[in-house]
Amino acid sequence: MLIVILFGPPGSGKGTQADYIAKRYDLQHVSTGDMLRAEADRGTALGNEVAPIMAAGNLVPDDLIVRVIESRLGDVGGHRGILLDGFPRTVAQAAALDAMLERVGEHVDLLICLDVPEDKLTERLLGRAREEGRADDNLETIQNRLDVYQRDTAPVLDHYRANSYTAIEVIDGDAPILDVSGRIRDAVDRHYRDAA
Ligand code: AP5
């Protein structure tokens, strides 16, 4: 099974690039943000619990998100592997993921990190706020999400740098969408020439 993490700060283009990557490499796209938003929209118990946390731009508790992911890892829907978008987001989540995978003889093969300057991230998220009105796309919450990323999520990169199984590709994501897709494709193909 091919296990790929799509990593990067809020607004770096994870969701935008995920469909392209998932399709090209036959991966099941799993977005924890999308899953949690769907729960909140449906008004489930889980959704009601996480909605205020997400609206404030904070992370939902590790144990909750690990349970959500665990139920998805066992079912890749006939695909060749899985593309994790928005998970893991803390070192504790990464350690839990590694342990889950180790139990079934798997590991994270590749981490793709989208690198975009902070002023561009804010600009993009404010642009999306005007178009889509997502609850966490306002200036105050965006700043908190960026701070949370630097404090809690960025260290996940070092966690995987220290893991000999996992290749890391840092992609300059500050370019038109199709150019970024091309850079990702070139990077992934370097690792999996037979994958496309
Ligand atoms: P999540 O949904 O994962 O949000 P995020 O990480 O903040 O990411 P975004 O969706 O904002 O950005 P993106 O990188 O996907 O960029 P996008 O492609 O959309 O998480 C939301 C919340 O859920 C969290 O804050 C937390 O509360 C909770 N949560 C989720 N996972 C969790 C976890 N594991 N643990 C704990 N809590 C968790 O692009 C953004 C905009 O930019 C779009 O308008 C797009 O059109 C535009 N754009 C994209 N690429 C380009 C480009 N190249 N040029 C110009 N514009 C571009």
Side-chain angles (χ1 to χ4, degrees):
M1 190 156 76
L2 188 58
I3 297 161
V4 180
I5 295 174
L6 186 53
F7 192 78
S12 56
K14 301 182 296 294
T16 302
Q17 299 295 339
D19 286 342
Y20 168 76
I21 302 171
K23 207 167 173 187
R24 180 172 168 91
Y25 299 100
D26 186 24
L27 304 174
Q28 169 111 308
H29 176 205
V30 173
S31 159
T32 44
D34 287 350
M35 288 161 71
L36 295 174
R37 272 186 294 279
E39 295 281 341
D41 288 348
R42 284 204 299 274
T44 63
L46 172 65
N48 292 337
E49 184 182 343
V50 300
I53 302 173
M54 295 173 76
N58 293 318
L59 296 179
V60 309
D62 287 334
D63 59 336
L64 185 154
I65 202 80
V66 166
R67 268 186 278 125
V68 168
I69 278 287
E70 200 159 21
S71 64
R72 293 296 296 273
L73 274 185
D75 175 19
V76 295
H79 294 281
R80 172 165 196 258
I82 195 160
L83 178 67
L84 294 168
D85 162 5
F87 178 89
R89 239 175 163 101
T90 63
V91 171
Q93 291 179 19
L97 173 65
D98 295 347
M100 276 184 253
L101 293 175
E102 202 178 319
R103 284 199 288 276
V104 291
E106 300 283 356
H107 53 261
V108 175
D109 297 282
L110 176 65
L111 183 151
I112 302 166
C113 177
L114 298 177
D115 186 31
V116 178
E118 203 163 298
D119 57 331
K120 292 283 179 62
L121 297 171
T122 306
E123 199 180 291
R124 286 184 188 180
L125 294 173
L126 289 175
R128 186 172 63 187
R130 286 190 291 275
E131 286 160 21
E132 296 175 22
R134 205 171 109 171
D136 54 352
D137 284 343
N138 59 76
L139 203 49
E140 190 188 348
T141 307
I142 290 169
Q143 192 52 56
N144 187 42
R145 287 159 66 200
L146 294 173
D147 292 346
V148 167
Y149 176 82
Q150 287 305 335
R151 188 188 65 221
D152 296 332
T153 306
V156 171
L157 201 50
D158 287 332
H159 172 89
Y160 282 107
R161 281 202 167 105
N163 181 334
S164 56
Y165 283 120
T166 306
I168 311 263
E169 285 287 350
V170 178
I171 305 287
D172 179 1
D174 184 14
I177 291 170
L178 290 178
D179 292 358
V180 178
S181 301
R183 290 172 188 176
I184 294 173
R185 184 197 57 226
D186 292 346
V188 179
D189 284 357
R190 269 201 299 281
H191 292 279
Y192 305 104
R193 289 191 190 282
D194 62 341

